[in-house]
Amino acid sequence: MTISLGYQIPNFTYPGGVSSLFDTVVAQAREAEASGFDTVLVMDHFYQLPGIGTPDQPMLEAYSTLAALAASTSRIQLSALVTGNTYRNPTLLAKTVTTLDVISHGRAILGLGAGWFELEHEQLGFDFDTFTERFEKLDEALQIIHPMLRDERPEVTGKWYRAHGAMNVPRYRESIPIMLGGQGEKKTFRLAARYADHMNIICALEDLPRKLEVLKQRAEEIDRDPATLSTSYLASAAVVETQAEADAILDALPEERRNRVFVGTAPTIAERIKAEILDAGVDGVVVNAPLNGHVPGVVAALGEALAPLVRA
C-alpha cells in the first residue's frame, strides 16, 4: 500500500443541491482515478468543519460514501482522512473497513485518528473526554483493530474497550493497511510507529522537516526501519487561471492559513508542492479542493500536473 497522490473530498455543498450531490462526488472520484491519483479520501465528520463552511452544511457519512464509491470506481484506493476513533467501537470499525475491502476488491485503507471536533460530540451524544483520554482510547482501539485486520483474534480488556477472541470474516486480503493522521510528536507519532503503515502529516509547512525527523526517531525507538512507514502531507488547493482570482482567494483566508493553501494554475500548484512538500522528504501528498473541486476538469488538472512528480 502506498498513498503517493491522494484526492480528498471535504466539501459537499454543490450548485445542484442534494438531488445531484452524490453524482458530483462520484464524478470527482472517477476524474481522480482517470488522472493519476491513487487514493480517494473523505472526511469522517457529521457536520461541516470550520474553515470550510458552517455546521449545518451537507456532510455525508464516511463509510456509506466510501462503500458507494467502491462500486462506482475500479482501481483507486479508498479511505477516510481520518476516521474519528470516538465515533465507533473498534470491533465495529474493523468490521466496517474489512467490509469496504471486500466490496472494493482490496482497495480499502483504514485512516484513523483520535477525534477532535467537540461540537459533533456535544450535539450528537459522543463522549468527548479529555485530550489524554482520547489518545488512551486510540491506543486501546489499535490494540484491537490491528490484529482484527490481520486475521488474528484479539484478547483485550482495557480501560475503555474490550474484545474477547473477536472474529472478522469475510476478509479479502491477509491484511488491510492502517494510516494515522495528525502531527502529535509524543502520542500520534509513537502510535504510528507501532501500528501504522502510513502517516499523513497535517502541520504548518515550516514545521514539516522537524515532523519528519521526529517520526523517524519514533520508529527507531522501537527498532523499526523508518523506511517502512511511508508519509504524506495534506494540502489544500484552489485551481484558478488569473492572479486576480488567486489574490481574491488568499485575501479571504486567515493569515495563518495562507501558506498552507496552494492557489494558482495546476502547473504552478504542482511546482510549489514539489518545492515545499515533496522536496522536504515526504513520500506523497493528499490534496483537496474545497472551493472548486466539483467543477469538471479541476481534479483532472491537478492529477495530471502532480502525478509525474510522485511517480518519478
Side-chain angles (χ1 to χ4, degrees):
M1 184 280 297
T2 184
I3 301 176
S4 297
L5 182 58
Y7 177 67
Q8 185 202 40
I9 305 173
N11 181 25
F12 301 104
T13 301
Y14 307 134
V18 175
S19 63
S20 60
L21 191 161
F22 188 65
D23 296 333
T24 305
V25 174
V26 170
Q28 291 175 77
R30 288 175 173 167
E31 199 170 302
E33 185 172 62
S35 61
F37 287 93
D38 55 50
T39 312
V40 165
L41 310 99
V42 298
M43 300 194 303
D44 184 32
H45 287 287
F46 306 103
Y47 292 173
Q48 185 52 274
L49 300 187
I52 299 176
T54 56
D56 59 338
Q57 289 180 335
M59 178 57 59
L60 297 180
E61 193 279 321
Y63 282 95
S64 303
T65 303
L66 291 170
L69 287 177
S72 304
T73 57
S74 59
R75 302 184 310 277
I76 203 156
Q77 298 175 122
L78 300 162
S79 182
L81 184 60
V82 285
T83 312
N85 178 64
T86 48
Y87 299 136
R88 297 169 188 82
N89 180 281
T91 55
L92 173 62
L93 179 55
K95 185 69 172 180
T96 299
V97 75
T98 302
T99 299
L100 175 63
D101 204 51
V102 171
I103 294 170
S104 66
H105 299 277
R107 293 184 283 137
I109 296 169
L110 172 60
L112 191 59
W116 64 271
F117 194 13
E118 188 170 4
L119 179 65
E120 287 179 332
H121 292 75
E122 289 178 352
Q123 294 195 354
L124 298 174
F126 296 105
D127 292 336
F128 190 62
D129 304 307
T130 66
F131 177 82
T132 298
E133 288 170 336
R134 292 199 302 280
F135 275 92
E136 288 178 355
K137 285 184 171 182
L138 180 59
D139 191 347
E140 281 190 17
L142 284 163
Q143 294 173 42
I144 294 170
I145 294 169
H146 187 274
M148 287 185 69
L149 298 186
R150 286 152 178 79
D151 199 24
E152 300 170 12
R153 299 178 62 178
E155 286 285 345
V156 175
T157 301
K159 177 180 177 182
W160 303 101
Y161 304 120
R162 64 184 185 278
H164 302 298
M167 294 184 289
N168 188 23
V169 290
R171 294 165 51 256
Y172 189 84
R173 291 183 285 177
E174 291 186 1
S175 65
I176 294 173
I178 295 174
M179 167 181 64
L180 293 192
Q183 63 173 319
E185 299 175 7
K186 295 180 179 179
K187 299 180 184 294
T188 303
F189 285 6
R190 282 198 169 97
L191 291 175
R194 186 167 299 278
Y195 294 108
D197 303 280
H198 188 93
M199 180 71 216
N200 180 260
I201 301 172
I202 304 170
C203 69
L205 281 168
E206 59 267 26
D207 294 335
L208 188 53
R210 190 187 80 250
K211 297 294 183 182
L212 290 168
E213 180 59 32
V214 174
L215 184 62
K216 177 183 177 182
Q217 292 172 9
R218 296 294 175 258
E220 291 172 342
E221 287 168 1
I222 59 169
D223 296 323
R224 176 177 178 175
D225 179 0
T228 66
L229 179 56
S230 61
T231 56
S232 59
Y233 181 86
L234 178 62
S236 292
V239 178
V240 298
E241 294 302 322
T242 69
Q243 189 59 48
E245 292 175 293
D247 291 341
I249 290 171
L250 291 170
D251 288 345
L253 291 172
E255 188 171 351
E256 66 273 12
R257 291 188 59 217
R258 290 176 189 171
N259 74 334
R260 293 180 59 185
V261 179
F262 298 81
V263 184
T265 64
T268 299
I269 290 170
E271 288 175 8
R272 279 196 60 199
I273 285 176
K274 180 182 185 303
E276 299 177 42
I277 298 175
L278 298 174
D279 287 352
V282 184
D283 299 314
V285 63
V286 176
V287 297
N288 58 38
L291 292 179
N292 61 359
H294 62 280
V295 176
V298 167
V299 176
L302 286 168
E304 290 162 6
L306 288 166
L309 303 181
V310 296
R311 301 287 188 268

